[in-house]
Amino acid sequence: PTWYSDIDTWFEKYGFDEQVIIALMDYCFKKSALHRNYVQKVAESWNLNNIKNLTDLENYYIQQDKQLK
């Protein structure tokens, strides 16, 4: 039940749309790190990179791939 208030906070604080919240939870789940502190840090990082919607997130991943290459 506490996840509900956390998710509401991320919607309000960071302005993420629904798809970004789903991607956030999926990303953390796949990292086997689905706990509040880790999810919060990822959300903060995404916010600092101006991610608000799924297009922003996809562009972020493209930039990350380019930097790794």
Side-chain angles (χ1 to χ4, degrees):
T2 61
W3 282 106
Y4 294 119
S5 62
D6 292 334
I7 291 169
D8 283 342
T9 299
W10 297 325
F11 273 123
E12 292 173 20
K13 185 175 182 179
Y14 302 123
F16 294 155
D17 71 10
E18 184 178 322
Q19 294 301 318
V20 173
I21 295 291
I22 292 168
L24 174 66
M25 302 305 270
D26 185 56
Y27 175 85
C28 294
F29 176 78
K30 288 178 180 176
K31 295 282 188 182
S32 298
L34 195 56
H35 51 83
R36 184 180 299 149
N37 290 336
Y38 185 77
V39 176
Q40 177 65 37
K41 290 295 183 186
V42 175
E44 288 172 4
S45 173
W46 287 6
N47 181 62
L48 290 173
N49 285 283
N50 298 315
I51 296 168
K52 301 295 179 206
N53 56 48
L54 202 52
T55 302
D56 296 338
L57 184 58
E58 290 171 355
N59 290 335
Y60 172 75
Y61 283 139
I62 290 169
Q63 288 298 102
Q64 292 296 311
D65 285 341
K66 286 180 183 178
Q67 288 179 359
L68 290 175
K69 291 178 183 180

